[in-house]
Amino acid sequence: MALSANLHLRQSQTLVMTPQLMQSIQLLQMNHLELVQFIAQEVEKNPLLDFAPEDGDNGSESPRGEEALAAQETTAGDGAGAPESDWYENAKGSALEESLDSNFDSAFVDEGVSARADAPELLGQWKSMPGAGTDPGEGYDLDDFVAGQVTLRDHLSQQIPFAFPDAADRMIAFALTDQLDEAGYLRADLQEVAERFGGAPKRLEHVIGILQTLDPPGIFARSLSECLAIQLKQRDRFDPAMATLIDNLELLAKRDFASLKKLCGVDEEDLIDMLSEIRGLNPKPASGFETNLSEAVVPDIVVRPASDGGWAVELNPDVLPRVLVNQSYYTRVTKGRDTNNADQAFLAECLQNASWLTRSLDQRARTILKVASEIVRQQDAFLRHGVDHLRPLNLRTVADAIKMHESTVSRVTSNKYMLTPRGLFELKYFFTVSIASAEGGDSHSAEAVRNRIRTLITQESPEAILSDDDIVSALKDGGIDLARRTVAKYREAMNIPSSVQRRREKRAMAKVSTG
């Protein structure tokens, strides 16, 4: 067969992931903090982007100066007149217009309206006033006077010089301080430390013994039993019976009170007193010096009861992106005589990127609102009656209802939170697996079943502890068909001990309350 060159014409459709499309996908799965950081980076490198003035600002402190006040386009809410953009207009449309087009004779918001002296808006104005409590012309910020957090090392460093008059011992003490873990336990290789400082192991043990007398109690312990023993010694409660109890913590974890009474040589009443003493100790001495600050969760969606008996689903205006595209500045610069072709191309690219970003942010907000509205519609019974009425729900159900892809719904529900009358929940909380009904009726969600198991165990009495088989029977009477091993798996996931351990503990607690 002879080889020859042929020309064929073929049509095909392919999906091309443009950088703008990838950016839109990334924006969709960002949480509030990540979105704020991303927008700040874009504003910094794009001269046509600006942060929108906050409500009540006079605009004089905008990052771009006067040009920012002449901006013509906002990020979320472009499509004026479109029904889907009503959420944005209601949230901030009027406030934005007032801040962009108004006289600024008064520097205060709501002048003449009575307000508390400690109201956040008045506090913010007072903090920003020059010379408030300081020298004239200097800004004053109350945050400058917030007490700094003392670390565990700082706290111990203040005590070590008084506990060790010898300089060599102080050096060893500071070295051991650096070997503490987050709970305050000493995890160092003592042999290595002794060799490094050229000291004898006895001297190292002497230093550790002094360190264990410092505050907080239990610090520098090398195990849980030693930590508890240190605290009991400082309370003068470390007698032989208590020492035996500390040496057999594994029996205490199993609630094997009968064996503990034999080993400690005490009766039931004394053992109960000893257990109460143990509960008052701190197994993590360094817990009060945590360096990781808790992060406040800001809800992305707010759900409120509506006047018609339904639910009003709104985007939280505090997390809406507030940026402007400065069209007038672009027009002014591009019409300048000194603008060359390279500058024109750069500005055109900046305008294209800024416009795409605003549209992506607007689409992100619309998508989040659509998904949240469908979740609220599906979980109406949960919002009205509680977790027992949480319906089983998956991503495909929501995606089919709002005509979107399942992966889009998954990105929307990642790291997004909804504030409801029942509390603050992550959107993924509302998606639970389905458990069949024992009577062939509606299925139950796994979270509702776990709550039912937790309620049954909480309500049991010391004389009638429910086994896993009893829980299966009780669930079946309530229309929930669940296997015994599944009940055991749910119970262990909730850190609930077995029926044998619960019986021992609840009987002991009952005797404490009656005694």
Side-chain angles (χ1 to χ4, degrees):
M1 181 177 180
L3 297 178
S4 61
N6 296 314
L7 182 64
H8 298 278
L9 181 64
R10 183 177 62 182
Q11 286 184 333
S12 63
Q13 291 182 340
T14 58
L15 179 62
V16 179
M17 291 289 290
T18 63
Q20 291 85 357
L21 183 58
M22 293 179 63
Q23 183 188 78
S24 299
I25 295 175
Q26 292 172 357
L27 289 177
L28 195 60
Q29 60 189 9
M30 288 182 182
N31 58 25
H32 172 58
L33 293 179
E34 294 172 343
L35 183 63
V36 169
Q37 293 175 358
F38 175 79
I39 292 177
Q41 294 174 358
E42 292 297 316
V43 170
E44 184 177 355
K45 66 183 182 182
N46 194 331
L48 301 182
L49 277 176
D50 261 314
F51 288 108
E54 297 292 338
D55 296 346
D57 289 350
N58 59 11
S60 60
E61 298 180 359
S62 177
R64 313 278 189 208
E66 296 179 356
E67 289 84 356
L69 298 179
Q72 302 296 323
E73 184 177 329
T74 60
T75 52
D78 291 344
E84 293 182 352
S85 63
D86 291 343
W87 61 269
Y88 183 79
E89 300 298 333
N90 295 334
K92 58 172 286 188
S94 60
L96 180 61
E97 292 174 1
E98 293 176 0
S99 62
L100 292 178
D101 186 16
S102 60
N103 60 29
F104 305 106
D105 296 336
S106 175
F108 297 94
V109 184
D110 297 334
E111 186 175 4
V113 179
S114 176
R116 291 174 25 237
D118 59 345
E121 58 271 14
L122 297 184
L123 180 61
Q125 294 165 4
W126 181 77
K127 287 172 61 176
S128 61
M129 290 175 60
T134 60
D135 295 335
E138 294 183 0
Y140 183 80
D141 194 344
L142 288 180
D143 294 337
D144 296 337
F145 294 86
V146 175
Q149 189 177 22
V150 179
T151 64
L152 177 62
R153 194 182 193 286
D154 294 338
H155 183 66
L156 295 173
S157 298
Q158 296 173 1
Q159 305 175 61
I160 288 176
F162 298 96
F164 298 95
D166 185 74
D169 291 343
R170 285 200 301 270
M171 187 179 299
I172 297 175
F174 281 116
L176 293 175
T177 302
D178 295 331
Q179 301 295 326
L180 294 176
D181 63 8
E182 295 179 354
Y185 289 87
L186 182 60
R187 302 302 186 187
D189 186 349
L190 301 183
Q191 183 66 29
E192 179 184 348
V193 174
E195 293 177 357
R196 192 199 327 168
F197 290 95
K202 290 185 177 180
R203 182 175 186 180
L204 187 60
E205 289 291 338
H206 173 70
V207 173
I208 294 175
I210 298 177
L211 288 173
Q212 290 177 349
T213 63
L214 301 181
D215 183 76
I219 199 70
F220 287 98
R222 286 157 288 189
S223 64
L224 175 60
S225 58
E226 187 178 20
C227 176
L228 301 179
I230 293 171
Q231 299 179 55
L232 290 170
K233 289 176 182 177
Q234 294 183 5
R235 298 185 181 188
D236 197 19
R237 286 285 291 118
F238 194 68
D239 52 24
M242 187 67 78
T244 305
L245 177 61
I246 294 299
D247 291 337
N248 294 274
L249 291 179
E250 67 280 356
L251 296 178
L252 178 59
K254 296 178 182 178
R255 276 79 169 175
D256 191 354
F257 301 129
S259 299
L260 287 175
K261 285 190 294 184
K262 286 183 180 180
L263 291 172
C264 298
V266 296
D267 57 15
E268 190 166 344
E269 184 178 355
D270 290 337
L271 180 62
I272 291 174
D273 292 338
M274 294 165 64
L275 295 180
S276 300
E277 194 78 26
I278 294 293
R279 290 192 183 94
L281 304 178
N282 185 5
K284 296 181 179 181
S287 59
F289 298 88
E290 294 179 346
T291 56
N292 296 329
L293 298 178
S294 58
E295 183 179 306
V297 175
V298 181
D300 300 87
I301 305 101
V302 179
V303 179
R304 299 185 180 92
S307 57
D308 58 355
W311 301 100
V313 184
E314 305 171 352
L315 289 172
N316 185 2
D318 293 336
V319 300
L320 290 178
R322 299 173 180 267
V323 290
L324 303 173
V325 178
N326 203 331
Q327 296 276 13
S328 62
Y329 178 69
Y330 170 76
T331 304
R332 187 189 317 167
V333 173
T334 53
K335 290 183 178 180
R337 298 179 180 178
D338 298 334
T339 307
N340 54 35
N341 293 335
D343 294 339
Q344 293 275 4
F346 172 73
L347 290 172
E349 182 181 0
C350 289
L351 180 63
Q352 181 181 3
N353 293 337
S355 300
W356 183 272
L357 177 62
T358 57
R359 289 194 296 269
S360 299
L361 291 173
D362 179 64
Q363 184 62 37
R364 174 184 182 272
R366 296 172 192 266
T367 305
I368 292 176
L369 189 62
K370 277 186 177 180
V371 173
S373 300
E374 180 61 23
I375 291 175
V376 170
R377 190 183 71 83
Q378 295 280 352
Q379 301 294 357
D380 176 77
F382 163 77
L383 296 175
R384 297 182 185 277
H385 307 293
V387 68
D388 286 338
H389 298 268
L390 188 66
R391 291 183 53 187
L393 187 65
N394 55 40
L395 297 175
R396 180 176 293 277
T397 302
V398 175
D400 293 341
I402 62 178
K403 302 298 188 292
M404 287 186 177
H405 196 270
E406 191 173 342
S407 62
T408 303
V409 178
S410 177
R411 291 188 180 94
V412 170
T413 55
S414 298
N415 300 318
K416 309 292 189 311
Y417 292 85
M418 178 187 294
L419 182 62
T420 71
R422 293 283 170 186
L424 182 66
F425 301 94
E426 189 177 6
L427 292 185
K428 284 191 177 296
Y429 172 83
F430 298 100
F431 295 88
T432 59
V433 298
S434 175
I435 296 177
S437 174
E439 302 173 355
D442 295 337
S443 56
H444 306 270
S445 70
E447 185 63 30
V449 173
R450 282 192 289 266
N451 182 73
R452 179 62 178 160
I453 294 173
R454 187 186 301 111
T455 302
L456 289 172
I457 294 176
T458 303
Q459 294 176 350
E460 64 185 4
S461 62
E463 293 77 18
I465 299 296
L466 298 175
S467 65
D468 291 343
D469 291 324
D470 295 334
I471 296 176
V472 170
S473 301
L475 292 176
K476 187 167 292 187
D477 294 340
I480 302 174
D481 189 7
L482 209 61
R484 178 186 177 278
R485 63 179 180 273
T486 307
V487 170
K489 181 182 70 174
Y490 284 174
R491 175 179 54 75
E492 293 172 358
M494 293 184 290
N495 294 322
I496 298 176
S498 64
S499 59
V500 176
Q501 296 175 348
R502 296 200 311 272
R503 182 178 294 107
R504 292 171 180 168
E505 186 172 1
K506 290 194 175 185
R507 284 180 177 177
M509 295 300 297
K511 291 182 179 180
V512 171
S513 59
T514 56

